[in-house]
Amino acid sequence: MDLELKLLPAEKRRPVPELKNLVFGRLFTDHMFVMEYDCERKWHAARIEPYAPISLDPAAIVLHYAQTIFEGLKAYWGVDGRIRLFRPWENMQRLNRGAERMCMPRVDEEFVLSAIKKLVWIDRAWIPREKGAALYIRPFMFGTEPSLGVKPSHTYLFMVILSPVSSYYQEGFNPVKIYVTDEFVRAAPGGTGEVKAGGNYAASLKAAEVAKKKGYTQVLWLDAVERRYVEEVGTMNIFFYFDDELVTPALSGSILPGITRDSVLQLARHWGLRVSERRISIDEVIEGIENGRLRECFGTGTAAVISPVGALYYRGKEYLINQGQTGPLAQKLFDELTAIQYGEKEDPFGWVTLVEG
């Protein structure tokens, strides 16, 4: 499949604003990638064109039955002036796993990644230059067939848009406070929790609002069956550092296999730490806080990389972790991962993909 370019003339492009103190996901670059699917022609009409609204039939299946998936990754302006993507192949593979789960067509991973690299290069002027900031890349796919029948769509759009984002930690690398809910659940066994389906995030909004009103930043989700075992925190995976063991919930089918999660696991093992992927009950976490065994807790994800957790609220009581301070392991992991992303250190794992014209 060929990639058609319909680029804005230079004189019609918007001046790039000062890329500082940006609100996440509000500013977008000049261009986007689009391709279309139908059952006869398969994927076709691949193009990079000016960023603009799209036309969608009011009966489009995505609007009624949420047949949509997405990914999130970043382009980093390195200290050497080169542009880097962090483990983009894993995003492409996870996208296709999500497509299969949601009865959507797979994409050609190599073609889509090459199109993303081309799009990033075309709009490279929008990549912030300061450490911690980056160009957020949002690939997404949705069903467009106009039908009120509950079934997979026969037609789809796949798109990629770009958004410059500031550092997640504009006021410093500070721990967040987490609200543990045993009232709401994010995902159930056999559901769509392990893919980046739009409906997962819609289901999370109510608990997030409850947490926000109580003064907490994110929600820690428990399993849907017993409401006892830890799953994820907000839009991130979660880690606990007990004594000399780094623990994260095992992938059970209702937990997103985060790429930063996997990077932390690889790094920790590379450093010789004892690492476990297993079931973790909220009772074990609370007991670990009370007896001092739980040294650190942190979330992992594309947006924050590492997000230290300073307090948990559970059943009417707040529990302080590490006196509410960022722990040395969380700091070391954050420093190491960001150093690789921005080209400050060698990449021994082959995680980085360069974007070149």
Side-chain angles (χ1 to χ4, degrees):
M1 183 167 34
D2 295 326
L3 178 62
E4 184 182 359
L5 299 180
K6 304 175 181 177
L7 303 184
L8 276 170
E11 66 273 12
K12 291 189 177 181
R13 297 187 185 185
R14 290 170 293 156
V16 178
E18 183 181 26
L19 301 176
K20 294 182 182 295
N21 302 318
L22 301 169
V23 177
F24 182 85
R26 293 290 183 86
L27 179 66
F28 300 96
T29 68
D30 281 326
H31 298 94
M32 61 186 185
F33 170 73
V34 185
M35 65 178 180
E36 303 170 29
Y37 181 93
D38 63 50
C39 293
E40 292 184 1
R41 291 177 290 178
K42 308 303 180 184
W43 287 113
H44 62 281
R47 63 219 186 247
I48 291 176
E49 62 186 23
Y51 184 98
I54 58 173
S55 177
L56 199 60
D57 193 289
I61 282 177
V62 64
L63 300 178
H64 302 272
Y65 308 122
Q67 195 188 16
T68 177
I69 55 174
F70 68 93
E71 275 297 326
L73 62 157
K74 289 179 178 177
Y76 305 87
W77 193 277
V79 294
D80 54 1
R82 306 180 82 182
I83 302 167
R84 290 168 170 80
L85 305 179
F86 185 72
R87 304 188 69 178
W89 282 110
E90 281 78 1
N91 289 97
M92 297 299 99
Q93 292 161 8
R94 190 171 64 184
L95 177 81
N96 271 334
R97 291 196 300 271
E100 288 183 354
R101 177 62 181 84
M102 299 295 287
C103 300
M104 305 168 87
R106 291 172 60 92
V107 300
D108 183 317
E109 295 168 9
E110 186 171 351
F111 178 78
V112 169
L113 181 53
S114 68
I116 287 173
K117 291 163 72 174
K118 184 72 173 178
L119 178 63
V120 168
W121 182 257
I122 288 168
D123 281 351
R124 63 191 181 278
W126 292 80
I127 305 177
R129 302 300 193 265
E130 64 181 356
K131 176 77 178 285
L135 185 66
Y136 184 78
I137 303 166
R138 171 54 63 90
F140 58 108
M141 184 197 308
F142 54 95
T144 57
E145 181 184 354
S147 171
L148 297 184
V150 182
K151 65 182 184 65
S153 179
H154 289 148
T155 60
Y156 296 88
L157 272 182
F158 178 85
M159 305 179 68
V160 182
I161 56 178
L162 308 176
S163 176
V165 294
S166 292
S167 171
Y168 186 86
Y169 299 105
Q170 295 188 41
E171 297 176 358
F173 188 56
N174 297 319
V176 296
K177 296 170 65 177
I178 303 298
Y179 178 85
V180 184
T181 181
D182 56 7
E183 177 184 4
F184 303 101
V185 296
R186 173 188 169 272
T192 60
E194 64 180 348
V195 302
K196 291 186 76 69
N200 294 347
Y201 297 82
S204 75
L205 297 177
K206 180 65 175 178
E209 287 297 300
V210 171
K212 184 178 178 182
K213 287 176 182 177
K214 292 180 179 292
Y216 292 85
T217 306
Q218 298 262 24
V219 173
L220 179 62
W221 300 100
L222 304 179
D223 74 285
V225 179
E226 298 183 55
R227 313 285 175 96
R228 178 184 174 195
Y229 293 98
V230 171
E231 296 220 319
E232 291 187 24
V233 56
T235 54
M236 300 183 290
N237 295 111
I238 188 77
F239 281 80
F240 303 94
Y241 191 27
F242 292 101
D243 294 332
D244 64 345
E245 180 191 26
L246 183 63
V247 186
T248 193
L251 299 177
S252 59
S254 57
I255 295 174
L256 185 74
I259 292 164
T260 311
R261 172 190 183 274
D262 183 70
S263 304
V264 165
L265 291 172
Q266 289 194 49
L267 260 181
R269 289 177 176 131
H270 181 70
W271 291 339
L273 290 176
R274 188 158 69 98
V275 177
S276 298
E277 298 175 70
R278 61 172 174 82
R279 297 183 90 184
I280 310 161
S281 71
I282 187 63
D283 295 332
E284 180 184 358
V285 172
I286 298 303
E287 184 179 328
I289 295 172
E290 291 180 331
N291 64 22
R293 285 192 59 235
L294 183 62
R295 299 164 62 180
E296 297 185 39
C297 175
F298 54 85
T300 63
T302 297
V305 186
I306 304 292
S307 183
V309 176
L312 291 179
Y313 177 93
Y314 180 57
R315 292 185 172 176
K317 184 177 178 180
E318 184 173 280
Y319 299 87
L320 213 57
I321 301 171
N322 191 37
Q323 280 113 29
Q325 302 300 309
T326 298
L329 180 57
Q331 186 70 62
K332 184 180 180 183
L333 286 163
F334 177 79
D335 291 343
E336 190 75 12
L337 285 169
T338 54
I340 291 172
Q341 290 167 342
Y342 289 92
E344 296 172 335
K345 283 191 174 182
E346 288 298 315
D347 170 21
F349 303 98
W351 286 339
V352 167
T353 295
L354 292 174
V355 176
E356 299 171 314

